[in-house]
Amino acid sequence: MSADQSITDKVHDVVIIGSGPAGLTAALYAARGTLEPIVIEGTVDGGPTGGQLTLTTDVENFPGFPDGIMGPKLIMDMRAQAERFGTRYITEDVVEAHIASNPKRLTTASGAEILTRSLIIATGAKPRRLDVPGEEELWGSGVSACATCDGFFFKDKHVVVIGGGDSAMEEADFLTKFASKVTVVHRRGELRASKIMQERAFKNDKIEFVWNATVAEVQGEGGSVSNLVLRDTVSGHTTDLPAEGLFLAIGHIPNTWLFSNVLRTDDEGYLLVDEPSTRTDVPGVFACGDVTDHTYRQAVTAAGTGCKAALDAERWLAEHTAAAPDDPRG
Ligand code: NAP
C-alpha cells in the first residue's frame, strides 16, 4: 500500500525503513509496545520487499523450525505477526531522508512525506557485483544474483556460481535441480562457507569447482551468456569457460546511501552504532540488521538487533515525550 492521508497527516512515534527480519522484528516489538509503527518496505534498487530472505529457499537455522522453513514464508509470517499488533506498511522506496531534523522527515518515491519522532533503519544490504565487462549488458540475460528467482530458466544448461561462501554453496546446490552442471569458481584455494554447506556441495555430483580463479569477462551471443573468461588469481593466465549462466554470490553492500552523509559508517560502508545499543550518532535514530553488521549477517542476528532497536526507540521516546517544537502537524 502507498502512504494515505491517515499516514501523512500525523507525526508518528516510530517509522522503520526495511522489511527484512530486522525491520519486522523491530515492528513487532514496537507494535506490542503500542507505538503503532509504520514500516516502509521499499524495494531498494528493484530488489524484493522483505529483504534477502525472500530470495532464499530453505532456512534451516532459524530457531523454532525443526524441519526448516522457506525464506519467503518466514518473512510473510513475521510480517503478519507484526501486523496483528497494529503495524502498518507502505510499499515504496524512501528517496530522501532528513533525519537530523525534529521530527524526522522521509520522502517516498511517490512524493509522500512521512514525519516521525524516532526512526529505525533496517535497510539491509544488496548483492555485490563483479564490475567486469559484459556483466551489466547481460544482467538478467544470463547474469543473476538470485538462483531462486532465475534458476528455473537454466534447465539442462551449464551454469557458473562465483563465490566461496555459504551463499555460493546454497546457490550451487539449488541450481543443480535445474542445470546439467554447476561450476563454482572461487578466487582462493579454500572455501569460506561453513563445513556443513561445503560438505553438501562436495557430495553433489553435479557440482564442480574451479579454484584460484575469478571472472574477468562475461561474453554473450544473441543477447545471452555463452562464455566466461576466467583469470587465474595465481598465474594471471586467462582461460575460457563456456557457460550459459553466471550467478554471483560474492557478498553484499550495505544499503546506506540515504544516510551515509549524516551517519558514521565503517570502512566497508556499514552504519556504526553505539554498541551494545542500536543508537546512531543522531538522537532518535537507531539502526539494526545487516546494514550495521558485516560479521554475522544471519536472519536470527538481524531479528535480535531489530528487537533491540525497538526497545531502544521506545526508551528514547519515553525520555523525549514532549511534542517536537517545529512539528507543523502536532
Ligand atoms: P561471504 O561469506 O562474504 O562470501 C563472499 C564470497 O565471495 C567469499 O568467498 C569471497 O571470497 C567471494 N568474493 C567477494 N568478492 C569477490 C570478488 N570481487 N570476486 C570474486 N569473489 C569474491 O558472503 P555470503 O556467502 O553471501 O554470506 C554472508 C553471510 O550470510 C555469512 O555469514 C553466511 O554464513 C550467511 N549465509 C548463511 C546461509 C545459511 O546458513 N543457509 C546461506 C547464505 C548466507 P573470499 O572467501 O576470498 O573472501
Side-chain angles (χ1 to χ4, degrees):
M1 129 180 184
S2 54
D4 61 25
Q5 256 196 325
S6 70
I7 289 177
T8 53
D9 265 1
K10 64 179 281 198
V11 177
H12 299 278
D13 276 332
V14 58
V15 169
I16 297 158
I17 311 179
S19 57
L24 294 177
T25 306
L28 172 63
Y29 272 76
R32 290 195 78 250
T34 66
L35 295 176
E36 300 179 359
I38 302 293
V39 172
I40 307 182
E41 47 179 5
T43 58
V44 187
D45 290 348
T49 62
Q52 296 174 67
L53 268 191
T54 57
L55 301 177
T56 64
T57 49
D58 269 335
V59 178
E60 295 174 338
N61 51 11
F62 200 90
F65 301 94
D67 300 322
I69 180 167
M70 297 300 278
K73 165 89 174 122
L74 181 57
I75 287 294
M76 270 169 47
D77 287 352
M78 284 186 184
R79 192 181 185 281
Q81 192 175 356
E83 194 165 29
R84 183 179 145 214
F85 296 101
T87 299
R88 287 191 292 165
Y89 297 92
I90 299 173
T91 312
E92 272 194 74
D93 280 349
V94 176
V95 294
E96 213 177 306
H98 294 280
I99 61 172
S101 63
N102 187 15
K104 293 142 201 352
R105 200 177 299 261
L106 307 172
T107 308
T108 68
S110 70
E113 207 171 68
I114 295 158
L115 302 178
T116 183
R117 294 185 179 88
S118 73
L119 175 69
I120 295 178
I121 300 170
T123 45
K126 65 181 170 213
R128 187 188 301 282
R129 296 201 182 187
L130 284 167
D131 290 329
V132 296
E135 179 189 36
E136 187 60 37
E137 294 85 333
L138 291 161
W139 193 266
S141 303
V143 183
S144 168
C146 178
T148 325
C149 319
D150 300 327
F152 179 79
F153 302 111
F154 294 87
K155 207 163 181 315
D156 300 325
K157 298 192 167 157
H158 174 215
V159 299
V160 168
V161 173
I162 180 149
D166 282 336
S167 297
M169 299 308 106
E170 192 173 66
E171 302 267 283
D173 195 52
F174 179 76
L175 285 164
T176 59
K177 291 182 188 187
F178 309 100
S180 53
K181 185 170 93 171
V182 178
T183 304
V184 175
V185 174
H186 182 39
R187 65 184 178 183
R188 293 187 294 132
E190 61 179 337
L191 297 171
R192 173 183 296 277
S194 56
K195 285 282 173 269
I196 187 168
M197 304 286 271
Q198 293 196 21
E199 277 162 21
R200 202 172 288 169
F202 289 144
K203 272 192 203 143
N204 191 324
D205 292 340
K206 279 182 156 185
I207 300 179
E208 290 181 6
F209 287 83
V210 173
W211 302 104
N212 300 313
T214 189
V215 174
E217 185 177 347
V218 188
Q219 296 175 333
E221 250 168 44
S224 49
V225 171
S226 58
N227 186 55
L228 303 175
V229 179
L230 301 188
R231 177 171 293 116
D232 189 300
T233 53
V234 180
S235 68
H237 292 148
T238 55
T239 50
D240 285 335
L241 179 63
E244 285 127 316
L246 172 65
F247 286 83
L248 309 186
I250 57 170
H252 294 87
I253 298 171
N255 294 316
T256 55
W257 69 269
L258 274 170
F259 321 104
S260 48
N261 59 344
V262 185
L263 296 176
R264 275 188 316 138
T265 60
D266 68 10
D267 292 346
E268 293 179 61
Y270 289 82
L271 294 183
L272 287 171
V273 293
D274 185 13
E275 289 185 28
S277 85
T278 60
R279 281 190 302 269
T280 68
D281 297 341
V282 175
V285 178
F286 306 88
C288 56
D290 283 10
V291 74
T292 63
D293 174 17
H294 63 246
T295 311
Y296 301 104
R297 293 177 295 186
Q298 303 297 303
V300 70
T301 51
T305 58
C307 161
K308 284 168 52 170
L311 297 177
D312 288 342
E314 193 175 350
R315 279 177 203 147
W316 185 86
L317 284 162
E319 289 161 14
H320 299 78
T321 42
D326 57 345
D327 172 355
R329 299 174 216 186

